Amino acid sequence: ARLAMPAVSIMPDAYCVCLMHACKHAAKAVNGLLLGKVEAEDKLTIVRAMPLFHSSFALAPMLEAALMLADEFCKTEKLQIVGYYQANELSTDMDLGPFGRKIAEKIKGQFARAVALMVDGTKTSVSESDLCLQLLGTDGKPSNQPLTLRDASKAIAFLEQSLNRGAQQQVVDFDAHLDDPSKDWLNSGVVCA
């Protein structure tokens, strides 16, 4: 029996990190993990985004290491890995592709209600009616469920101000953390107050 996709909401921090990660590496594909919790039987809240890669998606040992570290973090924060996000190199490409589907399905193996978010790179601005994120099932098929951004107007204003001052350059993914372990891939500093 397939579980119906839950109603999904995303917290401002997670939303801003997803989009800022995509903006930082605008000419490359990027991806990351979504951490969150089930609020009720059919409500999933994405609390944090953990940026993974911006270079090659095909390095299994790096992915395994990132998943282990994310799992440890989730235990301390009482969260779960609830999904996966991706932005493709070509802004018109809205397909998760084989690697994206593989990661999403791997997450679904641990969390049955897992979701995927695809950053829509064709858009030049975000609004409350268009968050520039497409909600997908882990199979990569678009969902008909809406994605709700909590405190949307505040979050969008914060995102726009952050991008205007170049704050996306401060977003650190696991790739960058591997190059320089002093860099914080939890992105504790990129907080949407």
Side-chain angles (χ1 to χ4, degrees):
R2 281 177 57 102
L3 286 170
M5 185 176 280
V8 182
S9 62
I10 186 167
M11 297 302 281
D13 273 12
Y15 176 73
C16 290
V17 169
C18 280
L19 268 75
M20 288 166 74
H21 186 211
C23 289
K24 179 176 182 177
H25 303 287
K28 293 179 177 168
V30 302
N31 64 1
L33 301 172
L34 301 170
L35 313 183
K37 53 191 169 194
V38 176
E39 301 278 355
E41 183 74 13
D42 57 351
K43 288 187 173 60
L44 176 65
T45 302
I46 298 166
V47 178
R48 289 186 77 130
M50 290 181 106
L52 288 176
F53 305 113
H54 65 267
S55 54
S56 167
F57 279 5
L59 301 169
M62 291 356 179
L63 175 63
E64 290 301 326
L67 286 168
M68 272 179 18
L69 290 169
D71 249 348
E72 288 302 309
F73 177 78
C74 284
K75 284 177 186 142
T76 62
E77 298 290 316
K78 297 189 174 33
L79 297 171
Q80 287 176 284
I81 299 174
V82 298
Y84 169 78
Y85 76 87
Q86 183 172 305
N88 287 329
E89 198 169 340
L90 292 172
S91 58
T92 53
D93 180 4
M94 294 296 284
D95 183 35
L96 273 182
F99 187 74
R101 278 194 295 278
K102 191 173 170 186
I103 296 180
E105 287 296 335
K106 187 176 180 68
I107 293 166
K108 188 175 184 165
Q110 303 296 312
F111 180 75
R113 293 285 185 85
V115 298
L117 292 177
M118 178 62 78
V119 177
D120 186 346
T122 61
K123 308 287 172 44
T124 52
S125 65
V126 295
S127 67
E128 288 185 51
S129 60
D130 187 350
L131 301 175
C132 297
L133 287 175
Q134 168 73 55
L135 183 62
L136 308 172
T138 51
D139 57 3
K141 293 190 172 83
S143 164
N144 52 10
Q145 281 277 21
L147 174 69
T148 309
L149 173 59
R150 300 256 181 104
D151 295 328
S153 58
K154 201 166 101 176
I156 289 167
F158 176 84
L159 177 67
E160 287 172 346
Q161 288 163 6
S162 298
L163 293 174
N164 285 340
R165 65 171 201 273
Q168 68 271 26
Q169 298 309 322
Q170 292 158 17
V171 172
V172 176
D173 58 18
F174 193 64
D175 257 345
H177 174 73
L178 288 172
D179 289 340
D180 178 354
S182 71
K183 290 185 175 176
D184 172 26
W185 76 293
L186 301 176
N187 291 288
S188 310
V190 186
V191 178
C192 183

